[in-house]
Amino acid sequence: MNSLAGRRIVLGVSGGIAAYKAVEVCRRLVDAGACVIPVLTKGATRFVGRATFDALASERVRMSLFDEDDPIPHTTLGQTADCVVVAPATARVIGAYAAGISSDLLTATLIATRAPVVVCPAMHTEMWEHPAVAANIATLAARGVHIVGPESGPLAGGDEGAGRLSAAADIAAAVSRVLEAASRPPDMDGLSVVVTAGGTREPIDPVRYIGNRSSGKQGHAFADEAASRGAQVTIVTTVDRPGPPAATVVRVETAEQMSAAAADATADADLVIMAAAVADFRPADPAGVKLKKRDGVPDLPLEPTPDILAALGASKPAGQILVGFAAETCDLAHNAAAKLAGKGADYIVANDVTARNAGFAHDTNEVLVLTYDGRIHPIGLRSKRQVAQAVLDLVLADRVAQTAMQENQ
Ligand code: CTP
């Protein structure tokens, strides 16, 4: 199981000679499917250029507590991270973190996060063995911070001893273990889950299509989360990204194909999650050959596509749980409530796709979950995987409560 796939990882890099090795840590995490956001201290940029991380990481480098795009970058980073890794961690950063001092973006993020933290110290042996550093490390370890390394070996300046940054492969493996340990227990063992993901494409001709901005990230995050909790997952997706290991992946393009695949896959499913952004209209008569500009603006009559969620809601087998989505640009709760009632869903996960850092293409999301019995659960800004985790927590808790009620009747 790849516990790094789809995870949002803040990679803190502080100012030591080992900062260049953080580039390799970044690359390994990205290669394993993680979304890596580098946070560099001013000192780090003396050893390695921010352009290197900008090129390799999933998001641009952050350095300042005063970011033009985000008034509170440290809380956004801290709250939306699945894990914060500091590699290398200097004596200064370790000391500030242990003492709760937040003088720069990295230390502020460390203090603002509730995600698991992995600290990878690197410094000269004399510094590593200093009682202040040893006490700070002991404090962090006692608070549950994961300390990886340092190792013994050659150090800068020709010295030898304890203080070398752990190998990039070992750091990536440690992050993976930490994320796996922080995962939910296998409380979906034996459940069959179908997820739809991505935006459909409705052909105009063999070259052009009507589409939408959905990236499929939220749907894939649901599939990854359900699989990591033991579910047997089928993902019907329009996007070219791997499903979780052992999942059945059905690739489709149009609403019609998604409708057929969903009808096939959902008959025996315990839980269906309709996260896909399905086109509502398609060209009624797509051209078999490319439309030529010289022939002028085409007449493009549209016809409605099947409403997959409504059809699933109308034919839902007893006991199946149906989760729909609502992508809105205004009146979120009102529009979502209409979809909950109108489509026969048990839950609607609603998001305002115009909100900052939420909705299409972002790695984070912020949603309202409306339930079959009129509750509204807000889920604040966090990674799409954490949103999936929170929604599944809610659905499973309701399922357990309902089963208990039925048993008591
Ligand atoms: N949906 C569907 N089939 C469609 C359109 C939407 O199954 N043809 C599903 C989506 O997967 C989502 C839910 O219906 O779970 C709501 O989709 P959304 O695009 O928010 O709403 P629409 O029903 O398309 O209504 P509108 O575009 O008018 O908001």
Side-chain angles (χ1 to χ4, degrees):
M1 174 68 57
N2 176 6
S3 48
L4 292 168
R7 299 305 194 122
R8 194 170 159 80
I9 299 175
V10 170
L11 174 61
V13 184
S14 55
I17 181 64
Y20 78 94
K21 295 187 185 167
V23 174
E24 178 65 12
V25 175
C26 176
R27 197 188 61 80
R28 279 180 184 268
L29 295 173
V30 170
D31 284 354
C35 167
V36 179
I37 308 103
V39 173
L40 270 58
T41 65
K42 223 165 121 194
T45 58
R46 290 186 170 267
F47 297 93
V48 62
R50 62 182 289 176
T52 313
F53 286 100
D54 271 333
L56 289 174
S58 320
E59 289 187 16
R60 67 186 167 85
V61 166
R62 316 286 162 87
M63 286 192 65
S64 172
L65 272 167
F66 306 97
D67 189 315
E68 280 172 17
D69 295 340
D70 186 348
I72 41 169
H74 57 298
T75 50
T76 305
L77 284 167
Q79 286 167 357
T80 61
D82 291 307
C83 183
V84 180
V85 189
V86 189
T90 59
R92 180 190 74 80
V93 165
I94 291 167
Y97 184 25
I101 295 169
S102 55
S103 50
D104 58 15
L105 182 60
L106 176 55
T107 48
T109 303
L110 283 167
I111 291 163
T113 196
R114 299 236 173 114
V117 175
V118 177
V119 163
C120 311
M123 62 199 77
H124 251 70
T125 311
E126 294 83 347
M127 296 174 78
W128 173 243
E129 290 176 348
H130 191 283
V133 174
N136 288 333
I137 287 288
T139 300
L140 293 181
R143 288 181 193 149
V145 173
H146 303 269
I147 312 292
V148 176
E151 289 172 11
S152 288
L155 300 169
D159 293 336
E160 284 261 341
R164 254 173 92 79
L165 183 70
S166 289
D170 294 341
I171 294 172
V175 175
S176 174
R177 277 196 306 277
V178 165
L179 282 169
E180 204 168 322
S183 297
R184 291 290 190 274
D187 54 359
M188 298 183 76
D189 245 345
L191 290 186
S192 156
V193 176
V194 177
V195 183
T196 64
T200 63
R201 293 175 168 192
E202 309 301 331
I204 295 171
D205 66 14
V207 178
R208 308 174 179 96
Y209 60 84
I210 295 177
N212 61 66
R213 296 182 192 281
S214 169
S215 61
K217 286 180 179 174
Q218 186 64 77
H220 276 261
F222 269 98
D224 289 338
E225 177 64 17
S228 78
R229 290 162 77 155
Q232 180 52 52
V233 173
T234 299
I235 179 158
V236 181
T237 180
T238 65
V239 298
D240 185 19
R241 56 187 286 168
T248 305
V249 180
V250 185
R251 300 216 185 267
V252 296
E253 194 169 303
T254 64
E256 194 69 49
Q257 292 165 355
M258 182 170 280
S259 173
D264 254 17
T266 54
D268 299 322
D270 299 298
L271 172 60
V272 180
I273 299 170
M274 259 317 286
V278 187
D280 291 325
F281 308 103
R282 65 184 167 210
D285 189 16
V289 292
K290 188 184 174 200
L291 298 172
K292 298 306 283 180
K293 194 161 44 186
R294 64 171 176 264
D295 296 332
V297 178
D299 188 24
L300 211 61
L302 300 176
E303 65 181 14
T305 55
D307 191 319
I308 307 170
L309 179 60
L312 294 176
S315 61
K316 197 160 71 81
Q320 185 179 81
I321 302 169
L322 186 57
V323 180
F325 278 67
E328 306 294 345
T329 53
C330 59
D331 295 335
L332 188 58
H334 176 78
N335 286 333
K339 284 177 188 170
L340 182 71
K343 301 207 186 208
D346 300 301
Y347 298 85
I348 288 284
V349 180
N351 68 335
D352 177 348
V353 290
T354 61
R356 180 198 285 270
N357 293 324
F360 294 146
H362 290 286
D363 290 301
T364 49
N365 211 353
E366 182 176 10
V367 302
L368 288 183
V369 186
L370 282 73
T371 70
Y372 53 91
D373 55 355
R375 287 166 290 149
I376 299 186
H377 287 264
I379 298 177
L381 188 69
R382 58 197 72 180
S383 74
K384 286 189 168 171
R385 179 70 181 254
Q386 288 171 325
V387 168
Q389 200 169 66
V391 172
L392 291 178
D393 283 349
L394 173 68
V395 169
L396 291 179
D398 285 352
R399 185 173 183 266
V400 169
Q402 277 175 3
T403 312
M405 239 164 63
Q406 280 158 8
E407 279 169 6
N408 287 336
Q409 272 167 7

